[in-house]
Amino acid sequence: MAHASLLASPPCTALAQDALAGLTAGGQKTLPCKYFYDEVGTLLFEVICALPEYGLSDADQRLIEAHAAEVAAACNPGTAVVELGSGSARKTRPLLEALAARQATLYLPIEISPAAIERSRRGLEGVAGLQFRPLAAEYLDGLAQVAARRRAGRLGAERLLVLFLGSTLGNFAPAEAADFLRSVRRHLRRGDHLLLGLDLAKPARQLRLAYDDPAGVTAAFNLNLLARLNRELGTDFDLRQWRHQVKCDRRGRWVQMHLRSRRTQTVRLPGAPRPVSFRRGETIWTESSHKVHRRDIAPLLAGAGFRLRRQWTDEQWPFAETLAQAV
């Protein structure tokens, strides 16, 4: 397996700017969930994926393993694979093996986490015929780079298969998810493919346990976001004064993760004219995860310029894997 050098990781100035905007703008305080995935957060998420309460990842893995050959057969030989948020690429490996068995395959994982890129590189060692060429970028910025290389004839592939697995699209509100898919489509050509993972609506109790496990791993994952601000920005969050909180829709259509302040307190934040104040019980909203009904997937894709070609659902956990084609 060949691999290219990693691009430089995004500077912490972006983290500082987003933290400043999210914590000082007034109203509900927020921090973007994309910053969960530093080296510590990436490792904690790998543990979350192994928890019995978090069935999403295993369902995604089972469907890809069961249908990798079908996805590969639907794509033209020599199709380049672009993955938006590869993580460790553990679940992606069966599909890459199926594609590379037919013809040498270019794999371009797009990740903002250098730790995740390195884990995916190690996890894909030994896959014959696979060229590993990562991009350290946000999803659409990285996809735009890939599209530009193809237009310039520097990609070495005429077709793309874009992977957006693990229900990451659910982190967007429904209208934002539709906009995001339309933005993805603008970087593709007619005939390119998208493999999309989506977590389906489920009982609220099952959903709550998936995001608030009894072992406290998800709580540690959430709190690590504050620890990252301390490490990289020099903030002085006292993690003992914060707790993980989950809010869940009774119909099982969405879940939110928050960090709740245990007491009235202030925190130093670079760039802020004064310490940021938190009331007792006030929260920082760190993530949303929206769930869908299977019947809603085809219209969502059609509105973004895709045609649903195949769809598979898991028997053990409500989850759907959908192969769509740009039209």
Side-chain angles (χ1 to χ4, degrees), residues 199-269:
D199 205 21
L200 303 179
K202 53 186 56 63
R205 182 179 181 277
Q206 184 181 19
L207 192 58
R208 180 175 292 276
L209 281 172
Y211 290 83
D212 194 10
D213 61 277
V217 182
T218 310
F221 175 71
N222 201 10
L223 285 162
N224 180 62
L225 188 52
L226 302 185
R228 179 178 184 180
L229 296 185
N230 287 350
R231 289 191 297 267
E232 298 187 22
L233 301 183
T235 57
D236 58 349
F237 283 97
D238 182 349
L239 270 60
R240 296 168 298 181
Q241 302 304 326
W242 295 85
R243 69 179 179 89
H244 172 66
Q245 182 183 44
V246 167
K247 299 180 181 181
C248 197
D249 172 40
R250 288 181 297 175
R251 298 174 298 166
R253 292 293 302 268
W254 55 261
V255 61
Q256 294 177 358
M257 295 206 312
H258 290 251
L259 291 164
R260 178 174 288 275
S261 177
R262 294 179 181 269
R263 61 174 174 83
T264 299
Q265 56 183 308
T266 60
V267 175
R268 293 196 317 269
L269 181 64

Side-chain angles (χ1 to χ4, degrees), residues 2-5 106-109 131-135 149 154-156:
H3 62 89
S5 299
L106 173 63
Y107 174 55
L108 303 109
Q131 184 182 5
F132 185 84
R133 194 184 300 170
L135 292 91
R149 292 179 190 180
R154 295 188 291 108
L155 190 64

Side-chain angles (χ1 to χ4, degrees), residues 65-79:
E65 289 178 349
H67 303 289
E70 294 171 72
V71 175
C75 298
N76 292 348
T79 293

